[in-house]
Amino acid sequence: MKRRISKPGEFIKGVPIAVWLLALVAIPLIFTFIMSFYSSSGLVIDRTLTLKNYKLFFTDPLYARILFKTIRLAVAISMLSIAAAFPLAYMVSFKVRRGRNLLFMLCIIPLWVSYLVRIIAWRTILGNRGVINSALMALGLIKEPLTFFLYNQFAIAITLTYICIPFVFIPVYTALEKIPRNLLDAANDLGANELRTFYNVILPLGLPGLVTGFIFSFIIALGDYIIPLQLGGTQGIMFGNLVWSQFGFAFNWPLGAALGFILFIIAVAILGLTSKFGSTEGGFLGE
Amino acid sequence: MRGRGTGLKIYGTLIFVFLYFPMVIVLLFSFSPTRTIVGLSGLTLKWYQELFQDPRLLIAFWHTVMVGLCAVAIATVFGTAGAFFVTRVEFPGKGVFRALVMLPFLLPGIIMGVTLLIFFRNLNVHLSMFTILMGHVSFTTPLVMFQVSSRLSRMGPTYRWAAMDLGANPVQTFWHVTLPMIRTALIGAGLLAFTVSFDEIVISYFLTGTWMTLPVYIYGMMRFGLSPKVYAISTIILILSLVLITFMARYTGRSADTYRVRKRDAG
Amino acid sequence: MKADNAIDLVNVTKKFDEVTAVSKFTVEIRKGEFFSLLGPSGCGKTTTLRMIAGLEVPTEGQILLEGGDVSSTPAYRRNVNTVFQDYALFPHMTVRKNIYFPLKMKKISPSEAETRIERVLRLVNMEGFGNRLPQQLSGGQRQRIALARSLVNEPAALLLDEPLGALDFKLRVAMQKVLKDIQRNVGITFIYVTHDQSEAMTMSDRIAVMKDGLAHQIATPDEIYNNPSTAFVASFIGDMNFVHGTVLDNDGKTCVLDVEGQKVTAKRAVDLGKGAAALVCIRTERVQVNPHRSVENRVSAELSRIIYRGTDYEATCRIGRAELRAVVQAVTWDAALRVGGTVELAWNAEDVIVFPREEEKDVIKYSGEAV
């Protein structure tokens, strides 16, 4: 018995949020889209419309290669995050009786710990004179510090996984919590052992949360440029760095706008998929 | 589910170690006089003292608090208005509208950074506190809106109907009934928005000129290696965010209602 | 539209987009009356109530409150109050503050309010609960407080939207009595929405039975039970047998029908001509099994099922393709009866109700007790 469209007078409530949406989201996006058709010569932006930037993206193999590398790494990070967060969510949701709230809090606290602090921590751990190397040297296992920890894709992957784990944990945990416990009793009653209950009941019902978690971590990993700058070194250049550098030392804003817009399209396409296959509720903020 | 799953518990413990080990490291390093963890000889507060002697860092800290508070204030107004709009007004394409509003929070920060930078440049707005603040308003608004609108839809329309039915006009209904009932959600959302804003760097980095927030300033410090001062400020941030989350946990989510009842029962 | 009516509905219609929720509803509700809107979900009873409350605006028609047109008056300026299904007690206010709320809106002085709050708390038997929070009360207690809050302003009418729906069966029955007593005490008009026919029957002075936005019958419980105006009403209230029949003879006072080759007489005005297809209705408790006294209608049937229900037995019998159920008091039940045996069923001609066969589609199959 719901009206499909409210009375026109009601729409006045939408004015503030519409203003915000236009000023900080829609118009900036349109400006970016327009700028992506400009070109840059030296420090001057040429405002004649051209497809040059997009042509460059599709013809110069560098861009496709880095985009592909970024996507591959983002997928790997998402898988790692799931591998860490799913069992954790399963454990907290099903295997723990006492102290469940505490464990839950412990799982999501890292979400609110400063991004920069986490980067600092991992640089400290993985660095040449870092925690791992010092420990190994102190134990006499190595003489010279190992250099393969930092400034490569491994360092990016481990740090981003660290950041993404809570983002996977929350939607998965929310999905698992919704599974009626009597369903498990029913499965046990029907003679399914734990493994089969897991495959036939828990996994399918937890899947929407899993998809949401996957996509969150994928998006986070896809667009990050600070972590590659800090921990990636030369072989850790990601698509985000490519975008960033156009606004920094390369100073080619139109190309940056085009690359940014391409990233936007990819992200929106993937988020569109989430709304189709994932659970939207309990997604990120816990309410 | 009986006592099995020992393997799972070991695995879970390892993940917890993975989650908390880095934080412990930062904590330890901030008190270590020697910059290394091995052969930790005594504890020192030297680095904390140095923090307070760095005027630029203190200014950056103050800037961050200011941006955070302003962003929370603005985002609360826009986000709450938006929440009322999406829960109370029906129109076709509402789902798309909701998704559009969530975008700044869901998209990689770099996209918001790029688009806002281009936007401000087109309007000839110089990079300043204002640009950073707008960047922060962009992603804190959907956060507030999400929290408030989920509280509103969980509340349902009956309380509002009841208030009107009992003689309260729309303004009185809002003031005496709706507002007190979403108060905890507002506080929680504000704390959440402040926590996120306090820490933000990905968008801010694009919109920062000479007026710096703390994360941007620390980022600058990190370019010359990790000084012990970085650990000290990191520890302070760590503790600050822990305090903020503890408060937040009291105000957001399902726990808030039960919390209130329990408190009254005890008292 | 007499001046002493509490509420008049005149041709009230409500459409949501293309769906008509309430269609041309006209009724006069008298002051002090306990009036129920009864019907299955989606029949428009709640929408009607919400229009009276002012929470919905009628698409057409008029609503009069004590003679004055309030059709477009907002809820907060109408002198009616509602008890909502989930009570809608404000969780951030104590019981006292909840009850004070409508008084505060009317700007009634705190000292005056205090006496009125105490009086109404006493009325619902909840003295001493003033400082509790709604969350600390049981369902039945919340119900009473919601009632007190709606009554404290002494409204022209109290609207109740399935107020007992959330309570368990025993509490519901107890609360029905409480409600009825309170209504008698305060003398305020109650308009009561329910889908539970037994609830409506026990409490109401009059009932409007609704289906698909239409009021099928507006009458006293007794009238509705004994003289239902449509097959829907007949099926929705009480336990009714429905069998097919054909009109053999009809003189306007007595109607003779053929049911599975046996003659059935109905002593009432039936608006069907000779040969018309009819739906013949007999209340299950009016069907007698092997009666001693002689009555007008007697048919022989085969006993196909016996169900013992404590106070009574339900005997299902076959007459050709038709099925008739008889509910017999346990004390008068003949223990010798067996499934498969032949019995004689009988009933008075006054107890036979006849409707046109077209109305069969409106018949609610498993009405019984409200689910």
Side-chain angles (χ1 to χ4, degrees):
Chain A
M1 285 205 282
K2 225 175 189 180
R3 257 185 234 97
R4 228 173 298 145
I5 303 174
S6 297
K7 282 181 241 131
E10 299 272 288
F11 282 86
I12 198 155
K13 289 178 187 148
V15 171
I17 196 73
V19 168
W20 168 88
L21 190 66
L22 279 177
L24 294 181
V25 186
I27 296 174
L29 261 170
I30 292 166
F31 279 12
T32 307
F33 186 61
I34 294 170
M35 187 176 262
S36 71
F37 294 104
Y38 294 164
S39 60
S40 162
S41 49
L43 293 178
V44 187
I45 290 172
D46 181 357
R47 286 170 184 263
T48 42
L49 300 181
T50 163
L51 280 170
K52 208 176 103 187
N53 299 314
Y54 290 101
K55 217 177 277 168
L56 185 70
F57 174 78
F58 285 109
T59 50
D60 189 337
L62 171 82
Y63 296 99
R65 206 176 63 229
I66 290 185
L67 180 61
F68 180 69
K69 190 173 96 177
T70 307
I71 289 174
R72 200 179 52 193
L73 190 67
V75 169
I77 288 163
S78 302
M79 300 303 274
L80 282 172
S81 307
I82 286 174
F86 190 88
L88 202 61
Y90 178 68
M91 183 180 88
V92 176
S93 183
F94 289 103
K95 297 290 178 178
V96 183
R97 279 275 158 71
R98 252 174 294 156
R100 229 170 71 163
N101 285 337
L102 181 72
L103 278 184
F104 174 76
M105 279 309 281
L106 281 177
C107 290
I108 62 164
I109 280 173
L111 190 65
W112 306 115
V113 168
S114 167
Y115 172 73
L116 217 51
V117 170
R118 288 187 279 186
I119 294 174
I120 291 165
W122 282 102
R123 259 183 73 169
T124 310
I125 294 168
L126 301 172
N128 286 350
R129 293 170 55 203
V131 175
I132 297 179
N133 273 323
S134 324
L136 291 175
M137 279 161 76
L139 289 170
L141 292 172
I142 51 170
K143 290 252 152 47
E144 291 291 306
L146 298 173
T147 54
F148 59 79
F149 293 127
L150 201 55
Y151 303 124
N152 52 27
Q153 289 193 38
F154 167 76
I156 299 175
I158 200 160
T159 311
L160 272 171
T161 302
Y162 182 72
I163 282 171
C164 291
I165 287 173
F167 281 97
V168 182
F169 175 83
I170 292 176
V172 170
Y173 181 80
T174 314
L176 293 184
E177 279 294 278
K178 280 210 201 103
I179 299 176
R181 299 297 132 138
N182 55 9
L183 215 63
L184 301 187
D185 294 339
N188 278 334
D189 218 43
L190 295 170
N193 63 26
E194 206 176 324
L195 207 63
R196 283 182 54 191
T197 310
F198 183 82
Y199 274 113
N200 295 326
V201 180
I202 294 169
L203 208 55
L205 290 173
L207 201 61
L210 209 62
V211 171
T212 307
F214 183 91
I215 292 197
F216 278 155
S217 53
F218 183 82
I219 297 261
I220 292 167
L222 187 70
D224 200 283
Y225 68 99
I226 301 269
I227 290 171
L229 276 177
Q230 282 287 322
L231 299 145
T234 44
Q235 60 143 311
I237 289 179
M238 295 299 183
F239 198 71
N241 300 105
L242 226 49
V243 178
W244 161 249
S245 62
Q246 305 311 319
F247 296 89
F249 57 85
F251 214 77
N252 188 344
W253 282 36
L255 179 60
L259 295 178
F261 202 78
I262 289 166
L263 192 62
F264 169 74
I265 295 296
I266 297 173
V268 166
I270 290 164
L271 285 172
L273 285 180
T274 349
S275 57
K276 209 160 181 193
F277 300 109
S279 65
T280 43
E281 47 181 311
F284 25 96
L285 301 174
E287 210 186 24
Chain B
M1 297 288 140
R2 286 155 290 270
R4 281 172 297 176
T6 325
L8 186 70
K9 277 180 185 152
I10 293 170
Y11 187 76
T13 313
L14 284 177
I15 301 286
F16 273 118
V17 171
F18 178 71
L19 284 178
Y20 284 89
F21 176 65
M23 294 183 214
V24 174
I25 290 294
V26 169
L27 199 78
L28 286 178
F29 270 59
S30 75
F31 293 108
S32 161
T34 56
R35 293 186 174 218
T36 55
I37 188 88
V38 183
L40 191 74
S41 49
L43 299 169
T44 176
L45 288 173
K46 190 165 71 184
W47 315 123
Y48 290 90
Q49 276 168 355
E50 271 188 28
L51 283 184
F52 290 99
Q53 285 150 12
D54 183 343
R56 292 179 58 205
L57 186 132
L58 293 177
I59 288 172
F61 183 85
W62 169 236
H63 283 173
T64 314
V65 172
M66 224 154 68
V67 167
L69 291 178
C70 293
V72 165
I74 300 172
T76 306
V77 173
F78 284 86
T80 309
F84 275 92
F85 179 60
V86 296
T87 38
R88 297 216 175 142
V89 182
E90 298 297 325
F91 55 95
K94 198 160 108 170
V96 177
F97 183 82
R98 256 175 198 276
L100 271 178
V101 175
M102 288 313 290
L103 271 187
F105 189 75
L106 297 176
L107 285 177
I110 190 171
I111 294 172
M112 290 313 294
V114 167
T115 57
L116 286 171
L117 179 63
I118 290 171
F119 175 61
F120 288 129
R121 190 192 149 115
N122 271 312
L123 298 179
N124 281 321
V125 178
H126 290 282
L127 297 180
S128 60
M129 173 185 171
F130 176 75
T131 52
I132 297 179
L133 178 61
M134 285 302 110
H136 285 220
V137 169
S138 79
F139 64 83
T140 45
T141 301
L143 234 151
V144 173
M145 192 182 105
F146 182 82
Q147 296 275 328
V148 175
S149 68
S150 46
R151 176 66 61 89
L152 279 177
S153 53
R154 202 137 45 83
M155 248 170 74
T158 353
Y159 294 110
R160 188 161 44 105
W161 291 338
M164 308 256 279
D165 184 74
L166 295 167
N169 65 33
V171 175
Q172 289 169 320
T173 303
F174 176 77
W175 188 252
H176 293 294
V177 175
T178 313
L179 193 61
M181 286 185 72
I182 61 169
R183 208 192 78 227
T184 53
L186 281 176
I187 296 173
L191 284 168
L192 188 68
F194 186 82
T195 315
V196 178
S197 159
F198 191 83
D199 177 43
E200 214 291 324
I201 178 154
V202 176
I203 297 174
S204 309
Y205 204 34
F206 274 92
L207 304 172
T208 300
T210 47
W211 201 94
M212 279 183 209
T213 59
L214 188 62
V216 177
Y217 182 74
I218 298 173
Y219 188 84
M221 285 167 76
M222 284 161 70
R223 272 194 298 209
F224 316 106
L226 298 176
S227 72
K229 251 163 69 179
V230 170
Y231 295 117
I233 185 70
S234 295
T235 304
I236 290 176
I237 294 175
L238 206 67
I239 288 163
L240 203 69
S241 35
L242 283 182
V243 171
L244 283 173
I245 326 162
T246 321
F247 277 112
M248 210 162 66
R250 298 202 159 175
Y251 287 111
T252 50
R254 292 144 212 130
S255 54
D257 301 330
T258 46
Y259 166 74
R260 204 172 46 223
V261 177
R262 243 188 291 128
K263 201 177 72 182
R264 300 268 178 149
D265 274 343
Chain C
M1 263 178 267
K2 281 164 280 168
D4 61 340
N5 284 346
I7 287 163
D8 289 276
L9 301 186
V10 186
N11 272 324
V12 170
T13 301
K14 179 71 188 176
K15 287 183 180 142
F16 292 104
D17 293 327
E18 294 310 304
V19 184
T20 306
V22 177
S23 170
K24 292 199 186 297
F25 196 165
T26 300
V27 66
E28 298 178 12
I29 299 167
R30 288 181 285 275
K31 273 183 186 158
E33 193 173 13
F34 197 120
F35 189 88
S36 288
L37 297 165
L38 172 68
S41 64
C43 72
K45 55 191 192 296
T46 297
T47 307
T48 307
L49 196 79
R50 288 171 58 80
M51 284 193 284
I52 299 172
L55 296 168
E56 299 284 358
V57 181
T59 318
E60 283 164 39
Q62 277 180 304
I63 297 171
L64 277 69
L65 185 60
E66 297 187 313
D69 189 341
V70 293
S71 307
S72 51
T73 308
Y76 51 90
R77 287 207 205 102
R78 286 192 198 187
N79 190 21
V80 290
N81 288 138
T82 310
V83 175
F84 290 88
Q85 191 166 11
D86 48 6
Y87 319 135
L89 294 176
F90 305 127
H92 59 291
M93 298 182 192
T94 59
V95 164
R96 189 178 304 279
K97 287 213 173 109
N98 261 289
I99 301 175
Y100 179 49
F101 185 82
L103 300 170
K104 190 161 103 184
M105 295 301 116
K106 282 244 166 86
K107 303 204 165 56
I108 282 165
S109 73
S111 57
E112 157 81 8
E114 198 49 42
T115 43
R116 280 167 75 170
I117 293 169
E118 282 310 317
R119 199 193 316 149
V120 80
L121 277 175
R122 212 174 314 126
L123 179 73
V124 296
N125 219 344
M126 289 287 286
E127 302 116 302
F129 285 85
N131 296 324
R132 300 269 189 104
L133 280 173
Q135 301 92 300
Q136 298 165 324
L137 302 176
S138 72
Q141 290 172 332
R142 285 184 207 184
Q143 162 71 64
R144 287 161 192 255
I145 298 305
L147 200 62
R149 187 177 69 172
S150 304
L151 282 172
V152 75
N153 253 341
E154 287 158 14
L158 185 71
L159 315 179
L160 302 103
D161 185 6
E162 306 242 8
L164 308 182
L167 305 178
D168 65 54
F169 177 72
K170 283 203 168 150
L171 191 53
R172 206 159 67 215
V173 174
M175 281 305 294
Q176 286 173 8
K177 294 198 181 91
V178 172
L179 272 179
K180 186 74 198 167
D181 288 348
I182 288 175
Q183 198 256 344
R184 218 170 279 138
N185 273 332
V186 295
I188 290 176
T189 312
F190 274 35
I191 301 179
Y192 193 95
V193 160
T194 181
H195 65 269
D196 182 336
Q197 47 112 349
S198 71
E199 201 167 284
M201 298 293 277
T202 353
M203 295 198 286
S204 318
D205 296 321
R206 277 194 304 156
I207 302 174
V209 188
M210 297 180 71
K211 181 178 185 284
D212 301 332
L214 282 173
H216 275 230
Q217 188 170 13
I218 302 173
T220 60
D222 172 67
E223 183 71 10
I224 281 175
Y225 190 81
N226 292 310
N227 294 311
S229 62
T230 64
F232 163 71
V233 176
S235 67
F236 194 70
I237 285 128
D239 197 6
M240 186 71 92
N241 285 303
F242 289 93
V243 291
H244 287 181
T246 313
V247 178
L248 294 175
D249 199 18
N250 186 1
D251 65 0
K253 284 186 196 122
T254 312
C255 180
V256 183
L257 302 108
D258 170 279
V259 173
E260 297 293 325
Q262 307 203 41
K263 259 190 195 164
V264 172
T265 310
K267 248 190 211 149
R268 63 172 70 212
V270 175
D271 194 19
L272 287 171
K274 232 182 210 179
L279 192 62
V280 180
C281 317
I282 309 136
R283 293 268 173 220
T284 52
E285 79 279 6
R286 305 273 163 92
V287 180
Q288 303 164 38
V289 181
N290 293 335
H292 306 296
R293 290 175 295 121
S294 70
V295 283
E296 295 96 327
N297 292 299
R298 268 178 184 273
V299 295
S300 65
E302 185 202 328
L303 192 51
S304 61
R305 195 194 302 124
I306 300 172
I307 296 170
Y308 175 57
R309 301 196 302 199
T311 56
D312 51 45
Y313 283 87
E314 183 189 275
T316 309
C317 312
R318 307 198 136 275
I319 311 163
R321 282 162 303 157
E323 207 169 63
L324 268 185
R325 285 170 302 125
V327 172
V328 180
Q329 292 292 306
V331 283
T332 61
W333 179 256
D334 177 3
L337 291 176
R338 290 283 175 271
V339 170
T342 303
V343 289
E344 194 150 71
L345 298 178
W347 55 87
N348 290 319
E350 288 85 359
D351 291 335
V352 181
I353 309 164
V354 183
F355 296 109
R357 185 82 60 80
E358 307 92 84
E359 289 191 25
E360 195 176 11
K361 62 179 190 319
D362 292 339
V363 168
I364 304 276
K365 281 288 157 51
Y366 303 96
S367 67
E369 293 291 315
V371 193

